[in-house]
Amino acid sequence: MDEQIPFFHNVQLADNPEPRCPCVVVLDISTSMSGDAIEALNRGVRQFIQELSTDSLASRRVEVAIVTFGSSVQLAADFTSPRSLLPPHFKAEGATPMGEAVVRAYSVLQSRKEEYRRAGLSYFRPWMFLLTDGAPTDAHSKHWKDAVRLVHEGEANRHLLFFGVAVNEADQAVLNTLCPPKRPSLKLKGLQFGELFSWLTASLKSASASAPGSAIALPPTNGWATIEV
Amino acid sequence: MPVFDETGRAWELGPKIAAGGEGVVHQLLHAPEYCAKIYHSTPLSALKQAKLKALCGLPKELRGNLALPLSLIFSQRGGSQALGVILPFIQGHDIFELYNPQGRREHFQKADFAFLVAAARNLSIAFKVLHENGIVMGDVNEQNIKVRPDATLSLIDCDSFQIEHHGQRYTCNVGTPLWTPPELQGVSLSELERTPNHDAFGLAQLIFLLLFAGRYPFAGKPLNSEPLPPEAAIAKFAFAFDPTPKERLLEPPPAAPPFDSLPPSLRNLFLRAFRRGSELPSARPSPTEWITELQALGGSLTRCPSWPAHLHWKGSAACPWCGILQTARVELFPAPPGTPSNPEGAPASHGAWVDRLLALSFEPLQFGPPSAAMQTAAVNALELEVTSWMPGFLRRIPFVQRNINASHLNELKSRVSQANQTVGSFSNQASTLFLQHFAQAQPLLKSAHDTAGKLKSIGTPSSKAVAQVLARHQLRELQEHLERQLLHRAQVAGLGQSRRATLQSYQIITAWDVTEAALLALPGFGMTLTRKLLDWRKLHERDFQLSYRPPTAIQGNATFTAAVQKEADELVTNAKRLLSQINEVKSRYASSFATLQAAYHDAYAKWTALETRIKQLSAMM
Ligand SMILES: Nc1ncnc2c1ncn2[C@@H]1O[C@H](COP(=O)(O)OP(=O)(O)OP(=O)(O)O)[C@@H](O)[C@H]1O
């Protein structure tokens, strides 16, 4: 028998037929995030994964992927259940290829949706959650144009829920050209990644217990903005 | 905080159990059989309070199936504005943890298919009782039913049910799209009258999930490229398992039990519950109909001969669970822990072993969160750190306190980043530990795959036993062929009468007897003649090879059967050994992982405690 042995069987799809709520988190880890910011981000991500894993229903429905951008665009974690995601430790370095990162995140999302379809699983409206503290260094590239188009089309067809969050000195004006017009970017207070990710957890819990298209009651964004979906 | 029930008795609220959209559920100290639900928005509306009061007054017989409130509670003795209610505390797990294969492995390890059928029947009984008492659950969903380890269950969240009391109807104003029947999709539920036929949709969906390994009736492979989200599929009556739909939108998902793994009478109930037309009054199967059919199913289950933990309807063409094991490599009913994987006396077919071997995998374990107790202990330890050496009177002076706090805060801040890195370092350690063990498991997995391959080819020409039998057959045929070639008729140059006589006298009569060793032993046979005779034999061997056809039917052959059996036995023995070796590596991995996880929990609790303290102290500054 020359058949190769797959490293991990992807049994998750057959073993857990719950509808899925995919969420891709797109993180800026460029040089400007060095120091306290990257540490706070690392902690926030870890807490996010922990909190999601402890909710019995959400941990069976929500799937998280992480795309980072800095020196390069990386798929730091492909879609998996929060219980089997070991969050990587991010180091801050490099530029801000945000457009490329969004395009990559979008394609990771598309292929996961294709896997759901093949496995006969239904899924809730996917989330893309982007965090940045700068301005895209690829704003004049094709990537950026594609990113803007993908986000806007996805939102218009209700195939995507996009959230942009600005950290520190982020260029919110540019970020808002990426965000869907009806949901402009939010500004993070200080480095309160903990609060931010708790909010994301709570929102994903309520989204994954609801159904796509229906109005999802998102919790208030304590002190940083109100979001209407 | 003390709260008071309607009789004026005081209760002490304990820790929070869970929070929902409407309220928080607390333990009651010294009364573990009860809990209290305190509403977020108080004072409650007059209508809500009247509904809660009415719920308390419903017949006692209902309490076996419903977590009905026992009393309103107030902040003062004899109050009039209720804060919440006292509820019986319901043990058990949410029903989705039972029908979901992963949840079942975690929380209901002993639940086999018979257990699922029993739970489905008990669920139908609860709905029967409910409906007979004029109650409609309304918001049927995966989180409002708790199942106990004996397959009995209780419906919770009764305050949303639709009830009638003293001629007054209290409606159910909520619903969950994934659980809403087609006729109510997109309809405003507020003040809407719900009917038992609406509940019958949720009941049927729950029963379907229980009997079809957690598969949703309205999830399948979309036939066109547009995805069909669950609520849209429900609204279109797109029941994916319908064998003869009017319009097919979804195909049944892969790796799901086939629809006909259940008796026709049950299938029929599902079709009545999910097809167009089910929205008409009383069209969906009633709880009583489900009870009858589920009772019958429970009595007609059989054990799969190749895997005793697989129970299924005895009329099913094949074991649905073996089918899923073959297609998706997922074992939905592993033998419960403590039972041998293949009890003696239960003959496993080769096929079953092939699937079992192919389903083997070795996956990384994941850290769970530390217990709440551990986290609390870590916070307490931090608090003690600063003040334990100091006499109490000093600690109570505000100025001293502030100073201690300020310096402590700085110290904590300096430690937090280190603590965080420590926590982070565990993911590397976990991967290393996994890879170490994976290295041991990988050759075993490889052998398991090889063994599976050999088991699969048993009885086909590529298997060892068959090859041996065939070789023996061919040799025998060759011998017979050569024995028919008589030397005295051979035309070989240089073979005269006297030589022929010599051959004869040495019993070399047919081509079969012509071998190099035999000829060289003869007197007066030189190399040339020997070679010529051997060539003559080779000529006939070649004739034989050209005309030989291996037999196609040796199945009935006793030697063959015995050889196959022997090879199969060897392979199965090997399979058992591999299985137990892999399990050994797994359990070694699990125990090292548990040690690592304990250290991780410790580090994690210390780190979050630092964060918590820093937040507390900063707030005090
Ligand atoms: N009687 C009970 N015994 C044990 N646990 C309970 C009980 N009642 C509620 N719970 C737990 O508390 C959680 C919230 O309760 P409940 O569903 O009644 O609140 P809710 O505010 O109406 O929430 P929802 O938004 O889900 O309707 C439940 O999911 C359940 O796990």
Side-chain angles (χ1 to χ4, degrees), chain B residues 17-25 35 37 40 67 87-91 94 139 141 143-144 146 156-159:
Chain B
I17 300 171
E22 260 196 308
V24 179
V25 179
C35 56
K37 178 165 175 176
H40 296 312
L87 296 165
F89 178 72
I90 306 295
Q91 304 275 359
D94 290 355
D139 186 17
N141 70 51
Q143 297 190 89
N144 280 349
K146 289 211 182 266
I156 62 166
D157 207 7
C158 296
D159 52 356

PDB file of all heavy atoms in Angstrom, chain B residues 17-25 35 37 40 67 87-91 94 139 141 143-144 146 156-159, ligand 1:
ATOM      1  N   ILE B  17     -24.938  30.541  37.923  1.00  0.00           N
ATOM      2  CA  ILE B  17     -24.802  29.300  37.159  1.00  0.00           C
ATOM      3  C   ILE B  17     -24.687  29.618  35.676  1.00  0.00           C
ATOM      4  O   ILE B  17     -23.842  29.083  34.972  1.00  0.00           O
ATOM      5  CB  ILE B  17     -26.033  28.377  37.332  1.00  0.00           C
ATOM      6  CG1 ILE B  17     -26.226  28.002  38.792  1.00  0.00           C
ATOM      7  CG2 ILE B  17     -25.905  27.150  36.460  1.00  0.00           C
ATOM      8  CD1 ILE B  17     -27.544  27.286  39.042  1.00  0.00           C
ATOM      9  N   ALA B  18     -25.531  30.478  35.206  1.00  0.00           N
ATOM     10  CA  ALA B  18     -25.544  30.797  33.783  1.00  0.00           C
ATOM     11  C   ALA B  18     -26.282  32.109  33.590  1.00  0.00           C
ATOM     12  O   ALA B  18     -27.071  32.524  34.437  1.00  0.00           O
ATOM     13  CB  ALA B  18     -26.251  29.695  33.000  1.00  0.00           C
ATOM     14  N   ALA B  19     -26.000  32.751  32.471  1.00  0.00           N
ATOM     15  CA  ALA B  19     -26.719  33.974  32.153  1.00  0.00           C
ATOM     16  C   ALA B  19     -27.400  33.779  30.817  1.00  0.00           C
ATOM     17  O   ALA B  19     -26.812  33.200  29.905  1.00  0.00           O
ATOM     18  CB  ALA B  19     -25.753  35.145  32.090  1.00  0.00           C
ATOM     19  N   GLY B  20     -28.627  34.202  30.718  1.00  0.00           N
ATOM     20  CA  GLY B  20     -29.334  34.110  29.441  1.00  0.00           C
ATOM     21  C   GLY B  20     -29.675  35.508  28.972  1.00  0.00           C
ATOM     22  O   GLY B  20     -29.222  36.503  29.559  1.00  0.00           O
ATOM     23  N   GLY B  21     -30.463  35.579  27.916  1.00  0.00           N
ATOM     24  CA  GLY B  21     -30.843  36.869  27.377  1.00  0.00           C
ATOM     25  C   GLY B  21     -31.727  37.646  28.344  1.00  0.00           C
ATOM     26  O   GLY B  21     -31.710  38.875  28.374  1.00  0.00           O
ATOM     27  N   GLU B  22     -32.510  36.893  29.130  1.00  0.00           N
ATOM     28  CA  GLU B  22     -33.509  37.549  29.958  1.00  0.00           C
ATOM     29  C   GLU B  22     -33.115  37.704  31.409  1.00  0.00           C
ATOM     30  O   GLU B  22     -33.641  38.554  32.118  1.00  0.00           O
ATOM     31  CB  GLU B  22     -34.775  36.685  29.942  1.00  0.00           C
ATOM     32  CG  GLU B  22     -35.830  37.160  29.011  1.00  0.00           C
ATOM     33  CD  GLU B  22     -37.127  36.472  29.370  1.00  0.00           C
ATOM     34  OE1 GLU B  22     -37.120  35.228  29.473  1.00  0.00           O
ATOM     35  OE2 GLU B  22     -38.110  37.175  29.588  1.00  0.00           O
ATOM     36  N   GLY B  23     -32.235  36.808  31.861  1.00  0.00           N
ATOM     37  CA  GLY B  23     -31.909  36.869  33.274  1.00  0.00           C
ATOM     38  C   GLY B  23     -30.688  36.052  33.605  1.00  0.00           C
ATOM     39  O   GLY B  23     -30.066  35.446  32.747  1.00  0.00           O
ATOM     40  N   VAL B  24     -30.344  36.099  34.914  1.00  0.00           N
ATOM     41  CA  VAL B  24     -29.186  35.351  35.395  1.00  0.00           C
ATOM     42  C   VAL B  24     -29.709  34.263  36.318  1.00  0.00           C
ATOM     43  O   VAL B  24     -30.586  34.511  37.151  1.00  0.00           O
ATOM     44  CB  VAL B  24     -28.241  36.283  36.180  1.00  0.00           C
ATOM     45  CG1 VAL B  24     -27.040  35.499  36.695  1.00  0.00           C
ATOM     46  CG2 VAL B  24     -27.792  37.424  35.303  1.00  0.00           C
ATOM     47  N   VAL B  25     -29.168  33.052  36.167  1.00  0.00           N
ATOM     48  CA  VAL B  25     -29.588  31.953  37.026  1.00  0.00           C
ATOM     49  C   VAL B  25     -28.524  31.750  38.107  1.00  0.00           C
ATOM     50  O   VAL B  25     -27.337  31.643  37.792  1.00  0.00           O
ATOM     51  CB  VAL B  25     -29.810  30.671  36.200  1.00  0.00           C
ATOM     52  CG1 VAL B  25     -30.212  29.515  37.093  1.00  0.00           C
ATOM     53  CG2 VAL B  25     -30.875  30.912  35.133  1.00  0.00           C
ATOM     54  N   CYS B  35     -32.779  26.570  42.246  1.00  0.00           N
ATOM     55  CA  CYS B  35     -31.969  27.707  41.812  1.00  0.00           C
ATOM     56  C   CYS B  35     -32.911  28.890  41.632  1.00  0.00           C
ATOM     57  O   CYS B  35     -34.123  28.749  41.769  1.00  0.00           O
ATOM     58  CB  CYS B  35     -31.217  27.379  40.525  1.00  0.00           C
ATOM     59  SG  CYS B  35     -32.246  26.852  39.150  1.00  0.00           S
ATOM     60  N   LYS B  37     -33.879  32.390  39.232  1.00  0.00           N
ATOM     61  CA  LYS B  37     -33.627  33.191  38.033  1.00  0.00           C
ATOM     62  C   LYS B  37     -33.996  34.632  38.349  1.00  0.00           C
ATOM     63  O   LYS B  37     -35.133  34.926  38.741  1.00  0.00           O
ATOM     64  CB  LYS B  37     -34.468  32.667  36.870  1.00  0.00           C
ATOM     65  CG  LYS B  37     -34.305  33.470  35.584  1.00  0.00           C
ATOM     66  CD  LYS B  37     -34.856  32.692  34.403  1.00  0.00           C
ATOM     67  CE  LYS B  37     -34.808  33.529  33.131  1.00  0.00           C
ATOM     68  NZ  LYS B  37     -35.247  32.760  31.969  1.00  0.00           N
ATOM     69  N   HIS B  40     -33.054  40.535  34.257  1.00  0.00           N
ATOM     70  CA  HIS B  40     -32.243  41.734  34.020  1.00  0.00           C
ATOM     71  C   HIS B  40     -33.091  42.983  34.204  1.00  0.00           C
ATOM     72  O   HIS B  40     -32.670  43.943  34.835  1.00  0.00           O
ATOM     73  CB  HIS B  40     -31.706  41.766  32.581  1.00  0.00           C
ATOM     74  CG  HIS B  40     -30.764  40.654  32.234  1.00  0.00           C
ATOM     75  ND1 HIS B  40     -29.710  40.321  33.044  1.00  0.00           N
ATOM     76  CD2 HIS B  40     -30.707  39.828  31.159  1.00  0.00           C
ATOM     77  CE1 HIS B  40     -29.044  39.314  32.467  1.00  0.00           C
ATOM     78  NE2 HIS B  40     -29.641  38.992  31.339  1.00  0.00           N
ATOM     79  N   ALA B  67     -39.420  22.325  34.158  1.00  0.00           N
ATOM     80  CA  ALA B  67     -38.846  23.016  35.318  1.00  0.00           C
ATOM     81  C   ALA B  67     -39.724  24.216  35.643  1.00  0.00           C
ATOM     82  O   ALA B  67     -39.339  25.371  35.445  1.00  0.00           O
ATOM     83  CB  ALA B  67     -37.429  23.450  35.010  1.00  0.00           C
ATOM     84  N   LEU B  87     -36.682  28.124  40.943  1.00  0.00           N
ATOM     85  CA  LEU B  87     -36.876  27.013  40.013  1.00  0.00           C
ATOM     86  C   LEU B  87     -36.258  25.760  40.606  1.00  0.00           C
ATOM     87  O   LEU B  87     -35.298  25.850  41.361  1.00  0.00           O
ATOM     88  CB  LEU B  87     -36.148  27.303  38.692  1.00  0.00           C
ATOM     89  CG  LEU B  87     -36.615  28.483  37.862  1.00  0.00           C
ATOM     90  CD1 LEU B  87     -35.569  28.838  36.812  1.00  0.00           C
ATOM     91  CD2 LEU B  87     -37.942  28.154  37.186  1.00  0.00           C
ATOM     92  N   PRO B  88     -36.795  24.597  40.223  1.00  0.00           N
ATOM     93  CA  PRO B  88     -36.070  23.379  40.592  1.00  0.00           C
ATOM     94  C   PRO B  88     -34.759  23.383  39.810  1.00  0.00           C
ATOM     95  O   PRO B  88     -34.743  23.772  38.644  1.00  0.00           O
ATOM     96  CB  PRO B  88     -36.985  22.252  40.101  1.00  0.00           C
ATOM     97  CG  PRO B  88     -37.818  22.869  39.030  1.00  0.00           C
ATOM     98  CD  PRO B  88     -37.977  24.322  39.394  1.00  0.00           C
ATOM     99  N   PHE B  89     -33.662  22.983  40.446  1.00  0.00           N
ATOM    100  CA  PHE B  89     -32.396  22.920  39.716  1.00  0.00           C
ATOM    101  C   PHE B  89     -32.360  21.628  38.906  1.00  0.00           C
ATOM    102  O   PHE B  89     -32.522  20.534  39.454  1.00  0.00           O
ATOM    103  CB  PHE B  89     -31.203  22.992  40.667  1.00  0.00           C
ATOM    104  CG  PHE B  89     -29.898  22.870  39.939  1.00  0.00           C
ATOM    105  CD1 PHE B  89     -29.445  23.912  39.150  1.00  0.00           C
ATOM    106  CD2 PHE B  89     -29.145  21.712  40.017  1.00  0.00           C
ATOM    107  CE1 PHE B  89     -28.253  23.811  38.448  1.00  0.00           C
ATOM    108  CE2 PHE B  89     -27.949  21.589  39.306  1.00  0.00           C
ATOM    109  CZ  PHE B  89     -27.503  22.643  38.524  1.00  0.00           C
ATOM    110  N   ILE B  90     -32.181  21.754  37.613  1.00  0.00           N
ATOM    111  CA  ILE B  90     -32.226  20.573  36.744  1.00  0.00           C
ATOM    112  C   ILE B  90     -30.802  20.105  36.435  1.00  0.00           C
ATOM    113  O   ILE B  90     -29.998  20.852  35.887  1.00  0.00           O
ATOM    114  CB  ILE B  90     -32.941  20.902  35.412  1.00  0.00           C
ATOM    115  CG1 ILE B  90     -34.325  21.505  35.667  1.00  0.00           C
ATOM    116  CG2 ILE B  90     -33.038  19.655  34.543  1.00  0.00           C
ATOM    117  CD1 ILE B  90     -35.301  20.575  36.318  1.00  0.00           C
ATOM    118  N   GLN B  91     -30.525  18.861  36.812  1.00  0.00           N
ATOM    119  CA  GLN B  91     -29.229  18.248  36.483  1.00  0.00           C
ATOM    120  C   GLN B  91     -29.257  17.853  35.023  1.00  0.00           C
ATOM    121  O   GLN B  91     -30.310  17.673  34.450  1.00  0.00           O
ATOM    122  CB  GLN B  91     -29.035  16.962  37.298  1.00  0.00           C
ATOM    123  CG  GLN B  91     -29.151  17.140  38.774  1.00  0.00           C
ATOM    124  CD  GLN B  91     -27.840  17.593  39.387  1.00  0.00           C
ATOM    125  OE1 GLN B  91     -26.848  17.759  38.684  1.00  0.00           O
ATOM    126  NE2 GLN B  91     -27.846  17.800  40.686  1.00  0.00           N
ATOM    127  N   ASP B  94     -27.377  19.882  28.124  1.00  0.00           N
ATOM    128  CA  ASP B  94     -28.233  20.330  27.031  1.00  0.00           C
ATOM    129  C   ASP B  94     -28.353  19.215  25.992  1.00  0.00           C
ATOM    130  O   ASP B  94     -27.397  18.498  25.728  1.00  0.00           O
ATOM    131  CB  ASP B  94     -27.635  21.577  26.368  1.00  0.00           C
ATOM    132  CG  ASP B  94     -27.717  22.795  27.274  1.00  0.00           C
ATOM    133  OD1 ASP B  94     -28.318  22.672  28.361  1.00  0.00           O
ATOM    134  OD2 ASP B  94     -27.173  23.859  26.909  1.00  0.00           O
ATOM    135  N   ASP B 139     -40.671  28.207  21.919  1.00  0.00           N
ATOM    136  CA  ASP B 139     -39.254  28.363  21.584  1.00  0.00           C
ATOM    137  C   ASP B 139     -38.514  27.036  21.795  1.00  0.00           C
ATOM    138  O   ASP B 139     -37.627  26.946  22.644  1.00  0.00           O
ATOM    139  CB  ASP B 139     -38.665  29.480  22.441  1.00  0.00           C
ATOM    140  CG  ASP B 139     -37.223  29.821  22.061  1.00  0.00           C
ATOM    141  OD1 ASP B 139     -36.790  29.431  20.953  1.00  0.00           O
ATOM    142  OD2 ASP B 139     -36.544  30.473  22.863  1.00  0.00           O
ATOM    143  N   ASN B 141     -35.751  24.653  21.322  1.00  0.00           N
ATOM    144  CA  ASN B 141     -34.397  24.741  20.773  1.00  0.00           C
ATOM    145  C   ASN B 141     -33.425  23.855  21.529  1.00  0.00           C
ATOM    146  O   ASN B 141     -33.782  23.213  22.516  1.00  0.00           O
ATOM    147  CB  ASN B 141     -33.912  26.200  20.693  1.00  0.00           C
ATOM    148  CG  ASN B 141     -33.639  26.803  22.050  1.00  0.00           C
ATOM    149  OD1 ASN B 141     -32.923  26.208  22.870  1.00  0.00           O
ATOM    150  ND2 ASN B 141     -34.203  27.970  22.309  1.00  0.00           N
ATOM    151  N   GLN B 143     -31.047  24.358  23.447  1.00  0.00           N
ATOM    152  CA  GLN B 143     -30.531  24.711  24.772  1.00  0.00           C
ATOM    153  C   GLN B 143     -31.614  24.742  25.842  1.00  0.00           C
ATOM    154  O   GLN B 143     -31.344  25.104  26.981  1.00  0.00           O
ATOM    155  CB  GLN B 143     -29.845  26.082  24.726  1.00  0.00           C
ATOM    156  CG  GLN B 143     -28.641  26.091  23.804  1.00  0.00           C
ATOM    157  CD  GLN B 143     -27.832  27.366  23.942  1.00  0.00           C
ATOM    158  OE1 GLN B 143     -26.948  27.453  24.758  1.00  0.00           O
ATOM    159  NE2 GLN B 143     -28.165  28.356  23.136  1.00  0.00           N
ATOM    160  N   ASN B 144     -32.840  24.399  25.459  1.00  0.00           N
ATOM    161  CA  ASN B 144     -33.928  24.479  26.434  1.00  0.00           C
ATOM    162  C   ASN B 144     -34.398  23.117  26.929  1.00  0.00           C
ATOM    163  O   ASN B 144     -35.458  23.002  27.529  1.00  0.00           O
ATOM    164  CB  ASN B 144     -35.117  25.246  25.840  1.00  0.00           C
ATOM    165  CG  ASN B 144     -34.883  26.745  25.909  1.00  0.00           C
ATOM    166  OD1 ASN B 144     -33.943  27.183  26.579  1.00  0.00           O
ATOM    167  ND2 ASN B 144     -35.710  27.519  25.253  1.00  0.00           N
ATOM    168  N   LYS B 146     -32.867  19.666  28.994  1.00  0.00           N
ATOM    169  CA  LYS B 146     -31.718  19.051  29.675  1.00  0.00           C
ATOM    170  C   LYS B 146     -31.950  17.560  29.818  1.00  0.00           C
ATOM    171  O   LYS B 146     -33.010  17.131  30.257  1.00  0.00           O
ATOM    172  CB  LYS B 146     -31.508  19.687  31.049  1.00  0.00           C
ATOM    173  CG  LYS B 146     -30.991  21.112  30.931  1.00  0.00           C
ATOM    174  CD  LYS B 146     -30.104  21.471  32.109  1.00  0.00           C
ATOM    175  CE  LYS B 146     -29.619  22.900  32.028  1.00  0.00           C
ATOM    176  NZ  LYS B 146     -28.300  22.996  31.370  1.00  0.00           N
ATOM    177  N   ILE B 156     -36.693  23.257  30.105  1.00  0.00           N
ATOM    178  CA  ILE B 156     -36.465  24.427  30.967  1.00  0.00           C
ATOM    179  C   ILE B 156     -36.890  25.695  30.229  1.00  0.00           C
ATOM    180  O   ILE B 156     -37.433  25.626  29.133  1.00  0.00           O
ATOM    181  CB  ILE B 156     -34.989  24.522  31.422  1.00  0.00           C
ATOM    182  CG1 ILE B 156     -34.061  24.703  30.236  1.00  0.00           C
ATOM    183  CG2 ILE B 156     -34.598  23.288  32.211  1.00  0.00           C
ATOM    184  CD1 ILE B 156     -32.657  25.127  30.618  1.00  0.00           C
ATOM    185  N   ASP B 157     -36.608  26.841  30.829  1.00  0.00           N
ATOM    186  CA  ASP B 157     -36.994  28.133  30.254  1.00  0.00           C
ATOM    187  C   ASP B 157     -38.515  28.223  30.095  1.00  0.00           C
ATOM    188  O   ASP B 157     -39.020  28.752  29.104  1.00  0.00           O
ATOM    189  CB  ASP B 157     -36.295  28.326  28.885  1.00  0.00           C
ATOM    190  CG  ASP B 157     -36.106  29.804  28.564  1.00  0.00           C
ATOM    191  OD1 ASP B 157     -36.382  30.643  29.445  1.00  0.00           O
ATOM    192  OD2 ASP B 157     -35.715  30.116  27.428  1.00  0.00           O
ATOM    193  N   CYS B 158     -39.237  27.692  31.106  1.00  0.00           N
ATOM    194  CA  CYS B 158     -40.700  27.649  31.022  1.00  0.00           C
ATOM    195  C   CYS B 158     -41.341  29.027  30.953  1.00  0.00           C
ATOM    196  O   CYS B 158     -42.472  29.155  30.500  1.00  0.00           O
ATOM    197  CB  CYS B 158     -41.280  26.931  32.242  1.00  0.00           C
ATOM    198  SG  CYS B 158     -40.801  25.238  32.327  1.00  0.00           S
ATOM    199  N   ASP B 159     -40.616  30.065  31.427  1.00  0.00           N
ATOM    200  CA  ASP B 159     -41.258  31.379  31.442  1.00  0.00           C
ATOM    201  C   ASP B 159     -41.546  31.904  30.043  1.00  0.00           C
ATOM    202  O   ASP B 159     -42.288  32.863  29.888  1.00  0.00           O
ATOM    203  CB  ASP B 159     -40.449  32.391  32.267  1.00  0.00           C
ATOM    204  CG  ASP B 159     -38.992  32.430  31.840  1.00  0.00           C
ATOM    205  OD1 ASP B 159     -38.623  31.608  30.968  1.00  0.00           O
ATOM    206  OD2 ASP B 159     -38.240  33.264  32.354  1.00  0.00           O
TER     207      ASP B 159
HETATM  208  N1  LIG C   1     -33.972  25.135  36.252  1.00  0.00           N
HETATM  209  C1  LIG C   1     -32.720  25.153  35.814  1.00  0.00           C
HETATM  210  N2  LIG C   1     -31.834  24.248  36.241  1.00  0.00           N
HETATM  211  C2  LIG C   1     -30.544  24.266  35.789  1.00  0.00           C
HETATM  212  N3  LIG C   1     -30.073  25.161  34.925  1.00  0.00           N
HETATM  213  C3  LIG C   1     -30.908  26.094  34.462  1.00  0.00           C
HETATM  214  C4  LIG C   1     -32.261  26.128  34.869  1.00  0.00           C
HETATM  215  N4  LIG C   1     -32.860  27.161  34.241  1.00  0.00           N
HETATM  216  C5  LIG C   1     -31.914  27.726  33.476  1.00  0.00           C
HETATM  217  N5  LIG C   1     -30.736  27.090  33.582  1.00  0.00           N
HETATM  218  C6  LIG C   1     -29.482  27.429  32.895  1.00  0.00           C
HETATM  219  O1  LIG C   1     -29.399  28.825  32.703  1.00  0.00           O
HETATM  220  C7  LIG C   1     -29.357  29.158  31.320  1.00  0.00           C
HETATM  221  C8  LIG C   1     -30.215  30.397  31.060  1.00  0.00           C
HETATM  222  O2  LIG C   1     -31.531  30.129  31.460  1.00  0.00           O
HETATM  223  P1  LIG C   1     -32.803  30.521  30.608  1.00  0.00           P
HETATM  224  O3  LIG C   1     -32.747  29.899  29.264  1.00  0.00           O
HETATM  225  O4  LIG C   1     -33.992  30.257  31.444  1.00  0.00           O
HETATM  226  O5  LIG C   1     -32.556  32.074  30.547  1.00  0.00           O
HETATM  227  P2  LIG C   1     -33.047  33.142  29.506  1.00  0.00           P
HETATM  228  O6  LIG C   1     -32.611  34.446  30.024  1.00  0.00           O
HETATM  229  O7  LIG C   1     -34.462  32.937  29.193  1.00  0.00           O
HETATM  230  O8  LIG C   1     -32.109  32.736  28.324  1.00  0.00           O
HETATM  231  P3  LIG C   1     -32.407  32.647  26.787  1.00  0.00           P
HETATM  232  O9  LIG C   1     -31.799  33.881  26.254  1.00  0.00           O
HETATM  233  O10 LIG C   1     -31.641  31.393  26.434  1.00  0.00           O
HETATM  234  O11 LIG C   1     -33.870  32.492  26.619  1.00  0.00           O
HETATM  235  C9  LIG C   1     -29.861  27.938  30.589  1.00  0.00           C
HETATM  236  O12 LIG C   1     -29.275  27.748  29.351  1.00  0.00           O
HETATM  237  C10 LIG C   1     -29.519  26.804  31.535  1.00  0.00           C
HETATM  238  O13 LIG C   1     -28.261  26.259  31.216  1.00  0.00           O
END
